[in-house]
Amino acid sequence: MASMSKASAFRKLLARPKPVVLAGAHDALSARLIEQAGFDAIWVSSFGVSASLKSMPDANVLTMTEELEASKNANAAVKIPVIADCDNGYGNAINVIRTATEFSAAGIAGISIEDSTFPKRCSLYPGEHALVSLPEMAGRIRAAKSAAADPDFLVIARTEALIAGLGLPEAAARAEAYQKAGADALLIHSKAKSPHEVLAFAKQWKGTIPLVVVPTMFPTASVEELGQAGFKVIIFANQALRAAVAAMRSQLSILRREGRAEVLDGAIARLQDIYDLVGVPQFQAQEEAFIPASKEPVTAVILAAGFEEQLLPLTEDKPKAMLEIKGRSILERQVSLLRASGIAQIAVVRGYQAQAVNLPGVQFFENPDYRKKGIAASLFSAQAALKGRVLILYGDILFDRTILERVLSAASPVSLAVDRAWCDLYRTENRSPAGAELVITPERPAVGHRFLPSEEPIDILKIGQKLHKEEASGEFIGLAGFTAEGLSWLKEAYERGLKQPAEGPFHEAASFSQASLTDLLQEMIAQGRPVSAIEIYKGWLEVDTFEDYRRAWAKL
Ligand code: SPV
Ligand code: MG
């Protein structure tokens, strides 16, 4: 069922026995406050919009479209009907046609059109107030009625006869003629200091359309009194704007004098009040409903402390991670790939030739004991970076971005990139790269030159460098993702290792201080923590030997 138009809603208000009470808004926020205060409808005041939008006089200086925009903003912010103050319709009857067409198409409940000449001056300003002739104004009213799309759209005819000093008889004659021309209501405006003029008008009024009044200059008149006198619609046109001006002025002067925002506490709206007013709770609910959860920031920890003899003399003055391949070091390539994948926080653990490891925007940690201590110790020298979601990578690997993306998007607490191509190498050539870190998964896939990785994470049953090769089913490439939970398990494994006797073996390591990352991972598995494999097939390189280095040059 189509919901009732705001024009019909306003007509329903008019059908109630009691007066319909409006307050003037100048924008969306003031309209919302008016609605919250319990007013029946909104008056979008030309006085208020001119003042707030442009800080300009209410004298037809603003355009129809500016008033329309303000009315649309107010209308969109409230459920109650909005009546727009359209001054004189912005010109003659032809202008009025466009005005009525636009405002009714925008869902505004009704407009007020007055009999002032164009350009007008605000009724309340001192000076002369000129009116168009009665027939011309009657033409404006007929024009407005002919143009409205919604048959319930209200055209309020406003006479300024009393404002112009033309007296009650002229006001009465005009009012009667405007009703005949089709007006849906009659606004009799007055700037007398008491309501006597409008009360006298109401008393003589024989018409059938509702009477409208704006008690600005005779503020003692109450809704009750005006209602009893026969007024059906009462508009408090500019009090909201004036309240805002008075509050802003006094609080700003205090703030300027005291120079500390706290002095206004209690006198100004709380932030939560503004959040509620503008719908922050709904906004949050919409975010949850419609925006996929934003990714938690990831910290990458690159382990680049170690020293390996086999690449000497290339690595005489720098660690492997700083080896250049076609103008950029491995580390530079890693960092730019990580950044391209949205990882801003990057930590590098350096040890061997630490002074040669330098890159802007990267946080450095040191493992000066790199000769005696293993990778686990290197990793935990970056303890301060081990927070939230963490990606750990060896400083001597280069890999395809899709591998990184798959590890980053994995939901499992611990996800290791595992290359199934190792199985092919071992089966066909019966060899395994020196120092390869192998894993055992429940199935040993029959791979070959065609391979489709599983989308599901696969349990790793065992990890290490000394696994039985017949049982191994892939190679850990040195890239691992941890959720905060996975990271807490890694820390637990490390803590347990620290507590064990210094001399005893720790999984494959001769002692805990020499433990590798695989030993920590094996400790986690032994404790029943799930460690998953993200299956890949090739797409990465390790620089461990001259042959690797030569291959890296050839491939990149
Ligand atoms: C307005 O609020 O813009 C009005 C009422 O038209 S008055 O300012 O009294 O003219
Ligand atoms: Mg006005």
Side-chain angles (χ1 to χ4, degrees):
M1 198 181 75
S3 63
M4 183 170 43
S5 74
K6 289 206 180 175
S8 328
F10 194 83
R11 286 189 185 264
K12 271 197 145 179
L13 290 171
L14 290 175
R16 296 184 324 192
K18 54 183 185 168
V20 181
V21 185
L22 281 65
H26 48 277
D27 60 10
L29 191 64
S30 55
R32 184 159 283 173
L33 288 165
I34 289 165
E35 179 177 54
Q36 287 187 355
F39 286 88
D40 298 314
I42 307 286
W43 166 258
V44 177
S45 154
S46 66
F47 180 93
V49 174
S50 310
S52 71
L53 196 62
K54 297 285 170 185
S55 190
M56 279 186 171
D58 177 19
N60 274 143
V61 182
L62 266 66
T63 62
M64 181 272 276
T65 48
E66 285 171 322
E67 178 76 24
L68 176 63
E69 194 63 24
S71 301
K72 281 181 176 175
N73 290 342
N75 195 38
V78 298
K79 293 199 171 63
I80 57 178
V82 168
I83 302 290
D85 169 12
C86 288
D87 297 337
N88 37 29
Y90 311 100
N92 67 16
I94 308 306
N95 300 88
V96 170
I97 289 175
R98 175 156 186 237
T99 301
T101 306
E102 298 277 358
F103 280 76
S104 71
I108 305 299
I111 54 175
S112 161
I113 303 283
E114 65 196 48
D115 51 12
S116 57
T117 53
F118 180 92
K120 65 141 209 186
R121 57 194 294 110
C122 171
S123 318
L124 311 177
Y125 295 168
E128 208 174 302
H129 293 267
L131 304 195
V132 295
S133 70
L134 187 155
E136 187 176 343
M137 177 61 182
R140 285 183 188 169
I141 294 162
R142 284 188 282 108
K145 287 300 291 178
S146 75
D150 182 344
D152 284 336
F153 184 73
L154 265 103
V155 175
I156 301 175
R158 162 169 164 179
T159 182
E160 298 282 290
L162 299 178
I163 299 282
L166 302 180
L168 192 56
E170 177 68 15
R174 283 181 175 251
E176 205 188 316
Y178 300 166
Q179 172 170 332
K180 276 206 187 99
D184 298 296
L186 192 283
L187 194 164
I188 175 73
H189 206 15
S190 161
K191 57 176 175 174
K193 294 280 170 1
S194 90
H196 71 274
E197 274 190 346
V198 296
L199 294 178
F201 179 91
K203 199 161 181 208
Q204 61 76 49
W205 174 243
K206 304 272 177 331
T208 52
I209 57 175
L211 289 184
V212 184
V213 68
V214 181
T216 301
M217 302 306 267
F218 38 92
T220 54
S222 68
V223 167
E224 199 182 11
E225 183 187 352
L226 292 165
Q228 274 167 7
F231 287 100
K232 185 70 207 173
V233 180
I234 296 154
I235 302 175
F236 293 105
N238 50 37
Q239 287 72 15
L241 175 77
R242 289 157 63 195
V245 169
M248 284 195 265
R249 179 176 287 133
S250 75
Q251 298 309 313
L252 287 168
S253 93
I254 296 170
L255 182 60
R256 183 72 185 105
R257 192 179 61 234
E258 303 293 329
R260 193 161 45 90
E262 193 195 18
V263 295
L264 306 188
D265 281 359
I268 60 175
R270 285 174 301 110
L271 283 174
Q272 187 60 47
D273 193 359
I274 308 294
Y275 304 162
D276 292 344
L277 259 178
V278 303
V280 172
Q282 292 91 315
F283 155 76
Q284 282 170 328
Q286 287 163 348
E287 273 188 328
E288 271 170 39
F290 305 121
I291 299 176
S294 60
K295 286 191 208 150
E296 235 185 288
V298 176
T299 303
V301 180
I302 302 174
L303 304 171
F307 166 68
E308 281 149 69
E309 245 164 345
Q310 61 266 35
L311 276 167
L312 280 174
L314 283 180
T315 52
E316 210 159 38
D317 58 351
K318 53 177 162 306
K320 267 197 295 185
M322 294 310 287
L323 277 182
E324 259 182 33
I325 303 169
K326 297 196 177 158
R328 288 165 78 209
S329 67
I330 299 174
L331 190 64
E332 272 178 279
R333 287 175 183 275
Q334 287 185 336
V335 166
S336 71
L337 189 67
L338 291 168
R339 290 203 172 121
S341 293
I343 301 178
Q345 300 188 63
I346 301 174
V348 175
V349 181
R350 48 189 187 184
Y352 173 65
Q353 298 291 7
Q355 79 294 338
V357 185
N358 240 324
L359 271 187
V362 167
Q363 192 182 9
F364 290 103
F365 293 91
E366 319 292 333
N367 174 17
D369 278 344
Y370 60 90
R371 281 185 200 272
K372 284 190 242 125
K373 291 191 174 169
I375 291 177
S378 264
L379 175 62
F380 277 84
S381 59
Q383 180 114 31
L386 299 177
K387 276 188 285 207
R389 249 188 117 91
V390 166
L391 186 80
I392 296 174
L393 55 153
Y394 295 165
D396 59 355
I397 55 168
L398 290 168
F399 43 85
D400 188 83
R401 180 161 172 179
T402 53
I403 298 176
L404 176 63
E405 299 288 352
R406 287 188 57 216
V407 171
L408 286 174
S409 60
S412 333
V414 183
S415 307
L416 313 187
V418 168
D419 187 6
R420 293 296 203 189
W422 179 89
C423 301
D424 283 355
L425 181 74
Y426 184 68
R427 269 180 211 150
T428 55
E429 297 180 28
N430 197 22
R431 75 183 173 88
S432 172
E437 300 185 330
L438 301 177
V439 302
I440 297 176
T441 56
E443 279 175 43
R444 193 164 185 233
V447 286
H449 74 287
R450 293 209 170 103
F451 177 77
L452 193 62
S454 162
E455 286 186 16
E456 295 300 316
I458 297 163
D459 278 346
I460 294 179
L461 306 176
K462 249 180 158 185
I463 185 164
Q465 296 170 31
K466 299 177 185 163
L467 298 188
H468 202 292
K469 298 205 173 42
E470 290 298 336
E471 288 174 46
S473 43
E475 179 181 7
F476 170 47
I477 74 164
L479 179 66
F482 295 78
T483 63
E485 187 185 28
L487 190 68
S488 71
W489 301 339
L490 184 74
K491 289 181 181 174
E492 277 170 19
Y494 184 73
E495 297 296 328
R496 262 196 307 280
L498 282 178
K499 284 193 192 122
Q500 76 159 38
E503 296 310 317
F506 184 74
H507 299 284
E508 291 180 348
S511 69
F512 178 68
S513 66
Q514 287 164 41
S516 191
L517 178 60
T518 51
D519 297 312
L520 286 182
L521 291 165
Q522 183 54 46
E523 171 66 13
M524 287 164 59
I525 295 169
Q527 294 294 323
R529 302 301 193 188
V531 173
S532 308
I534 302 293
E535 271 193 323
I536 64 161
Y537 192 83
K538 303 189 178 176
W540 68 289
L541 280 173
E542 180 185 26
V543 182
D544 230 2
T545 60
F546 278 115
E547 179 53 18
D548 291 337
Y549 188 49
R550 194 196 57 74
R551 211 176 299 132
W553 268 88
K555 298 277 178 197
L556 284 174

